[in-house]
Amino acid sequence: MIFHPPILALVTTSAIAALVLAGSAVFALRLLAGWDPTSGSERQIGLERVTHLVSTVVAFVLVMEAASLVLFAFNADRMAPLFVGAMCAVGTLNASDWGFPALWAKIVVFFAAFAWLAVDRVDGRTRDYALIRVKYLGLLILAPLVFAEGALELAYFLDLKADTITSCCGKLFGEDKPDLGGDLASLDPFVAMGLLAGALVAAVGLGLAAARGRGLAVLHGLASVAVFGLALAAIVAAIAPYVYEQPHHHCPFCILKREYFHVGFALYLPLFLATGAGIASGILALVGGRLEPEVAASARRGLARTAVAGHLVFAAVAAALVLHSGLTLVP
Amino acid sequence: MITLEGVTKIFNQGRHNEVAAVRGVDLTIEDGRVTVLRGPSGSGKTTLLTIVGCLARPTTGRVRIDGEMVSGLPERFLTEVRRRTFGFVFQKFNLIRGLSALDNVVLPALPLGRTHRPLIERAQALLDHFGLADRAGLVVEHLSGGEAQRVAIARAMINDPAVIIADEPTASLDGERVAQFLAIAEDLKRSGKTVLITSHDPRITEAGLVDRLVTMADGRIVEAAP
Amino acid sequence: MRAALERRRHLLDFAVRSLARRPAKNLGLTAIYALIVFVVGSVMLYGAAIRREATAILASGPEIAAQAMTMGRHEMSRDADVAALKGLRGVRRIEPRLWGYLWDSAGAANYTLMVPPASDGAHAVAKGEAIVGEGVARARKLAPGKMLFLVSPAGKFLKTRVKAVLSSESALVSSDLVLVEESDFRAFFDLPPGVWTDVAITVTNPREVGTVAEKAALKLPGHRFVTRSDMARTAEALFSWREGLTLALVAGAILAFALLAFDKASGLSAEEKREIGILKAIGWETRDVIAAKLFEGGLISGLAFLVGVVAAWIHVFFFSAGLFEPVLKGWATLYPRFPLAPTLDALELATLGMLTVLPYMAAILVPVWRTASADPDAVMR
């Protein structure tokens, strides 16, 4: 299984990311041990020089992870015919115990890298490296996450065997199943969409106010996470069936397929962007105590605006899909 | 005004070839004046120049510009201060081959993200001012020594800095071009710019427009007149 | 915001000019880069096209093939078995089939001899006639009207006149086929009436295939039921595997290329180092130089990728991937010759990008940073 070309590409990408972050983590330890910005010694100048490399490298990793996440989902969908019982990405992911954990790990790494880069950008705007220690401590958390993600992905691909009998989205998201998938699918669509709408209103409101204070920005971050979770739930419970015009088809991956005009992308891209920006804004507020007020406020504003824009686009697309559908789930 | 307090610069710190190029220098460069740094090669004048111009950080000591401490700033801000405050004319002119005179002049302004047209117009105006209007499109390899120097000076002025720094500006020039350079320096001084020159050429050190002569030896200042 | 965009525009412009100023140096690297993209791209495009062909061809066959088994080996099915399946619900047609393998020393190849099913009117053959696949035609130099002589392992002789040669469109699966009439077949292989190689089951609703196979297995416990999706999966996995293996072997070349890129990016000429020193001295930050250099790398990547992909596409779809056929098609004697339907796929392009562009950009990161970190005062020393 491991020799399928997209899998080779994904494994190569994870390997490069892990390698690059391993080097960065080693540097992080050196920096935290000997950082002294007031010094003009060659050692300090050398450390400052390497920080440029680390920033470039983590930005590169973020782009790779984003591409890798999309490729992973697309490939899972494309590989479905190889597994008995699989008709879309869900089946492929289910063909191994490591499938879904690998996907979740990739999502976590994406958000973590996004947040790190946001903190890095803001730190670059300070005159006194206000966030450098926090940043490199954060790197010591990001690196193991990337290793874990690579390991889970590798375990998944090594474990995949073509003759595995797996269950597809119909079974995983069947309303009668007692697990999470089933719970989500059997959630009342009205409730799901209502909760999502409420969370979106809260997130957008907090986003517009986030620039005013750190506390509000932290709340905004939490609201963004809540929106992410509720959005996924609503997609499974309500939005996906509307797209398929089929009350019992709840799969969150099939909306990425060509026959549905890839609308899944129009939903997931703004959602991921908004969530990333919201989380980054919240984390920045938490760690940015030493920032000058104007720098902090400007950073919060930028991130909050991105989050608000993303949430609004997501809401618009979701609403359009529901209204445009020939199905009626909610009286 | 640029102030240096107890500035030291050590290269290859901790290694067998450690050398202190500048030792414990205190110096003030005043606005609107022409200051010349004099001394034999190895005296540390070029290194001191790089520290004054924020091209290098002192190992110990402080550099202040108009009261603001700049020596501990991150590269981004140091570069910003440098771009804002200083324009450099190097001994070997250091123009980029393969690019035209005009392209060379706008180089320092590119990372600032200034809009294209006003930038080109300003560059063209500077070249006009130095009598190089018709040479703007030529690649710099085809310029004479004097013309190249004037392009280098135009480049140094693109961001309208307060201080012009010139390192051994007359090292390879004949009498006529030295006079040309001195005329330009006079012109800069008249327009309110601060000029800092390193030179051991008596045609410069004994020129009338020099307000202050600082002599260096072995990394220290041995004489400053007045 | 505008300043940030203008800055990027200026840096990109500078990158383009920089590349244009050193055509010789960059052309060499770009050519090798494009070659790597060409090789990897050819393998991927070819593999994907073959898999699509196989899937398309299989789509027209029966959904289930039932084969009798004894002690794990294949056995002939009987009329009684066929009758037992007749009552199954959800089945559109039950068709017993006759086919078998024959080693032909004259052509030094294995052929598949087959009786065309009654439902296949287009390939009907009369007694003494044969329809052959294009691989057989090539091996035995046959054309419509010529005679074909076959000898069975038991010494039985079969003389047929070639009625037609199967078109190359189905060559992937029909290249080694010889279609003969039923009585000719039975006489040749010494088979009594009422025995069949296997039974083809066509199902009304494709979603019911699994259920029908289960029910059929209950009726005929001694048979195994191979569904079309089983076959599709096997074909898909096999071609994927071969493609992937080839790519894994090419990985060595990709690694070598990455090292070359690293080396080129590290080994700047004195002139280039001087240039960067000047930029740093006149007011460019490290991140500005990094951005300009990465833009250069991106432009080289873009050009090499475009050239490589176009060349790979032409190679695969106009020259049938002449360079890689043997590995990707398999080690049979009768390689089918057939044109592939040209297609391009976002997933394939993305995979190709990640296998070629990504290693290149990763390889140049550290060298670019190192040169961009030059001391601004270096030009004065």
Side-chain angles (χ1 to χ4, degrees):
Chain A
M1 190 50 62
I2 198 77
F3 289 112
H4 197 68
I7 292 179
L8 288 175
L10 287 166
V11 168
T12 307
T13 309
S14 294
I16 294 176
L19 212 72
V20 134
L21 235 25
S24 305
V26 168
F27 172 71
L29 292 169
R30 268 183 59 208
L31 181 138
L32 289 167
W35 182 258
D36 179 13
T38 58
S39 154
S41 69
E42 283 178 342
R43 181 162 194 268
Q44 174 64 20
I45 294 176
L47 286 177
E48 284 173 28
R49 224 177 262 163
V50 179
T51 60
H52 293 122
L53 178 62
V54 174
S55 296
T56 309
V57 137
V58 176
F60 182 67
V61 165
L62 178 71
V63 171
M64 275 203 303
E65 287 294 334
S68 163
L69 185 58
V70 174
L71 190 70
F72 187 80
F74 240 115
N75 178 56
D77 184 63
R78 196 58 74 81
M79 280 178 71
L82 291 174
F83 304 100
V84 181
M87 286 194 287
C88 70
V90 172
T92 313
L93 290 169
N94 245 351
S96 160
D97 287 333
W98 303 106
F100 274 104
L103 181 67
W104 287 120
K106 283 184 118 55
I107 293 176
V108 168
V109 166
F110 173 78
F111 288 137
F114 195 117
W116 194 92
L117 273 170
V119 173
D120 182 49
R121 285 284 136 92
V122 175
D123 183 48
R125 286 193 239 147
T126 64
R127 302 178 86 83
D128 58 349
Y129 298 103
L131 298 174
I132 194 113
R133 281 186 186 276
V134 155
K135 207 167 72 174
Y136 280 88
L137 278 169
L139 198 67
L140 292 175
I141 298 173
L142 183 63
L145 282 177
V146 171
F147 303 151
E149 182 246 318
L152 282 171
E153 192 188 61
L154 190 64
Y156 169 56
F157 288 134
L158 287 174
D159 193 37
L160 275 185
K161 289 178 184 43
D163 51 2
T164 314
I165 298 175
T166 178
S167 24
C168 190
C169 49
K171 293 234 170 71
L172 188 72
F173 293 105
E175 288 140 18
D176 51 340
K177 289 225 93 175
D179 59 10
L180 178 64
D183 286 341
L184 287 178
S186 54
L187 199 63
D188 185 297
F190 187 60
V191 170
M193 291 200 288
L195 284 173
L196 176 62
L200 277 168
V201 167
V204 168
L206 283 167
L208 293 170
R212 284 201 217 127
R214 287 173 62 195
L216 287 168
V218 173
L219 285 175
H220 177 225
L222 291 169
S224 301
V225 174
V227 166
F228 187 71
L230 288 169
L232 291 179
I235 287 173
V236 169
I239 301 174
Y242 272 111
V243 173
Y244 310 130
E245 297 190 348
Q246 258 256 33
H248 300 295
H249 190 182
H250 292 278
C251 180
F253 292 98
C254 292
I255 50 176
L256 293 168
K257 286 186 180 213
R258 185 178 299 170
E259 53 249 53
Y260 302 109
F261 305 105
H262 304 296
V263 284
F265 284 107
L267 272 178
Y268 286 125
L269 283 170
L271 178 66
F272 270 79
L273 189 63
T275 310
I279 291 176
S281 162
I283 289 181
L284 196 60
L286 277 174
V287 304
R290 293 184 53 200
L291 287 174
E292 286 159 31
E294 317 89 65
V295 173
S298 148
R300 277 201 296 270
R301 227 189 334 263
L303 287 168
R305 256 187 222 148
T306 309
V308 165
H311 281 140
L312 288 173
V313 169
F314 171 78
V317 172
L321 288 172
V322 168
L323 292 170
H324 187 68
S325 167
L327 182 71
T328 324
L329 283 178
V330 174
Chain B
M1 189 160 76
I2 305 166
T3 334
L4 277 71
E5 296 163 21
V7 163
T8 305
K9 180 72 179 171
I10 303 174
F11 291 106
N12 300 318
Q13 229 172 345
R15 279 174 277 195
H16 69 273
N17 53 350
E18 183 179 300
V19 58
V22 173
R23 303 164 202 262
V25 164
D26 297 306
L27 181 64
T28 306
I29 313 276
E30 292 186 9
D31 290 344
R33 310 277 204 95
V34 176
T35 308
V36 175
L37 277 180
R38 171 173 72 167
S41 75
S43 59
K45 62 182 191 298
T46 305
T47 307
L48 189 66
L49 196 71
T50 62
I51 292 174
V52 168
C54 298
L55 277 176
R57 287 230 303 259
T59 308
T60 56
R62 281 192 273 263
V63 178
R64 281 186 222 272
I65 298 181
D66 292 335
E68 184 195 349
M69 165 102 132
V70 298
S71 36
L73 285 178
E75 189 215 12
R76 181 185 197 147
F77 296 97
L78 194 64
T79 313
E80 198 195 326
V81 168
R82 186 166 88 241
R83 273 196 291 246
R84 213 188 329 133
T85 318
F86 299 100
F88 284 87
V89 183
F90 302 99
Q91 181 176 7
K92 295 183 187 125
F93 313 142
N94 284 338
L95 298 173
I96 294 191
R97 289 198 262 269
L99 291 180
S100 69
L102 190 70
D103 285 333
N104 266 282
V105 170
V106 299
L107 274 178
L110 293 183
L112 290 170
R114 290 165 59 178
T115 23
H116 190 68
R117 179 148 310 150
L119 188 59
I120 297 291
E121 282 169 6
R122 175 163 167 79
Q124 194 71 52
L126 279 168
L127 286 171
D128 289 348
H129 178 77
F130 288 110
L132 295 167
D134 52 339
R135 319 294 274 167
L138 275 182
V139 286
V140 297
E141 296 93 291
H142 298 158
L143 297 173
S144 72
E147 287 170 339
Q149 185 178 60
R150 280 177 280 153
V151 171
I153 297 174
R155 182 179 71 185
M157 306 210 12
I158 188 74
N159 290 328
D160 200 24
V163 182
I164 301 291
I165 297 185
D167 184 35
E168 301 283 359
T170 57
S172 53
L173 299 183
D174 60 32
E176 186 202 324
R177 301 222 219 111
V178 170
Q180 216 171 43
F181 174 77
L182 285 170
I184 293 173
E186 183 83 58
D187 192 36
L188 289 170
K189 177 179 171 181
R190 238 188 319 219
S191 58
K193 302 261 183 251
T194 309
V195 181
L196 178 62
I197 305 172
T198 62
S199 184
H200 56 266
D201 183 345
R203 295 174 292 183
I204 298 290
T205 58
E206 286 155 23
L209 77 151
V210 174
D211 296 305
R212 193 161 185 234
L213 190 59
V214 176
T215 311
M216 283 189 75
D218 202 29
R220 280 181 236 272
I221 294 183
V222 293
E223 192 194 330
Chain C
M1 190 49 154
R2 174 168 303 161
L5 283 171
E6 276 294 328
R7 172 180 166 265
R8 284 207 176 86
R9 212 199 91 174
H10 289 315
L11 293 176
L12 181 62
D13 191 62
F14 185 80
V16 172
R17 308 259 207 96
S18 288
L19 285 176
R21 271 185 288 136
R22 300 196 175 89
K25 171 202 172 195
N26 293 308
L27 226 54
L29 181 72
T30 309
I32 295 177
Y33 197 165
L35 184 66
I36 295 274
V37 175
F38 167 74
V39 168
V40 178
S42 293
V43 172
M44 286 185 57
L45 283 176
Y46 191 75
I50 281 202
R51 271 183 279 130
R52 260 189 297 266
E53 288 289 331
T55 313
I57 283 169
L58 282 170
S60 55
E63 281 85 8
I64 308 175
Q67 295 176 332
M69 306 286 285
T70 300
M71 294 191 294
R73 316 261 11 248
H74 172 257
E75 258 279 340
M76 303 299 279
S77 300
R78 299 179 190 285
D79 278 342
D81 300 325
V82 177
L85 291 172
K86 285 250 151 77
L88 275 177
R89 271 243 295 255
V91 167
R92 189 144 51 96
R93 182 168 59 234
I94 305 225
E95 211 157 32
R97 302 192 297 191
L98 265 180
W99 55 272
Y101 299 119
L102 178 71
W103 167 256
D104 174 43
S105 45
N110 260 320
Y111 301 151
T112 303
L113 252 69
M114 185 169 170
V115 176
S119 55
D120 185 4
H123 296 117
V125 276
K127 197 169 162 61
E129 275 183 340
I131 296 180
V132 298
E134 58 96 37
V136 179
R138 258 187 291 126
R140 295 284 296 266
K141 302 192 188 349
L142 298 169
K146 286 207 159 159
M147 300 305 289
L148 169 65
F149 299 94
L150 294 169
V151 186
S152 81
K156 286 280 169 71
F157 202 65
L158 179 64
K159 173 176 147 184
T160 53
R161 180 183 300 276
V162 175
K163 180 182 172 190
V165 177
L166 290 168
S167 78
S168 51
E169 262 135 39
S170 61
L172 189 61
V173 288
S174 70
S175 174
D176 66 343
L177 215 50
V178 177
L179 297 174
V180 296
E181 191 263 344
E182 185 178 336
S183 57
D184 282 340
F185 187 98
R186 288 186 188 281
F188 187 66
F189 283 115
D190 215 4
L191 287 174
V195 296
W196 308 91
T197 312
D198 63 14
V199 186
I201 304 172
T202 311
V203 173
T204 340
N205 183 355
R207 288 207 200 150
E208 299 289 301
V209 169
T211 325
V212 169
E214 274 171 36
K215 285 196 262 177
L218 288 172
K219 292 247 174 130
L220 294 177
H223 275 60
R224 86 167 159 189
F225 294 86
V226 180
T227 66
R228 189 163 71 202
S229 59
D230 289 338
M231 289 186 273
R233 260 183 299 115
T234 309
E236 163 82 39
L238 182 68
F239 287 124
S240 253
W241 184 88
R242 284 219 182 104
E243 190 184 324
L245 187 61
T246 312
L247 284 180
L249 293 171
V250 167
I254 294 176
L255 187 64
F257 168 67
L259 287 171
L260 175 73
F262 179 86
D263 193 56
K264 278 258 154 179
S266 305
L268 288 186
S269 65
E271 177 64 34
E272 285 173 289
K273 284 193 184 129
R274 178 183 165 264
E275 238 185 68
I276 289 176
I278 294 172
L279 290 172
K280 294 296 290 284
I282 61 175
W284 283 42
E285 291 172 54
T286 304
R287 72 187 186 112
D288 297 322
V289 179
I290 289 178
K293 288 282 164 205
L294 286 181
F295 276 139
E296 273 184 41
L299 288 165
I300 290 177
S301 297
L303 183 64
F305 192 75
L306 193 66
V307 170
V309 166
V310 170
W313 205 85
I314 293 174
H315 172 226
V316 169
F317 295 116
F318 287 94
F319 294 102
S320 295
L323 299 170
F324 308 121
E325 268 184 315
V327 184
L328 291 172
K329 276 194 199 153
W331 38 85
T333 315
L334 300 176
Y335 294 148
R337 285 203 194 130
F338 54 98
L340 289 165
T343 37
L344 205 55
D345 190 89
L347 183 72
E348 278 160 29
L349 275 182
T351 306
L352 185 59
M354 284 175 112
L355 285 172
T356 53
V357 175
L358 218 62
Y360 172 77
M361 294 301 287
I364 67 169
L365 273 182
V366 172
V368 159
W369 162 77
R370 200 172 278 153
T371 51
S373 300
D375 278 327
D377 60 337
V379 283
M380 297 183 76
R381 286 198 244 125

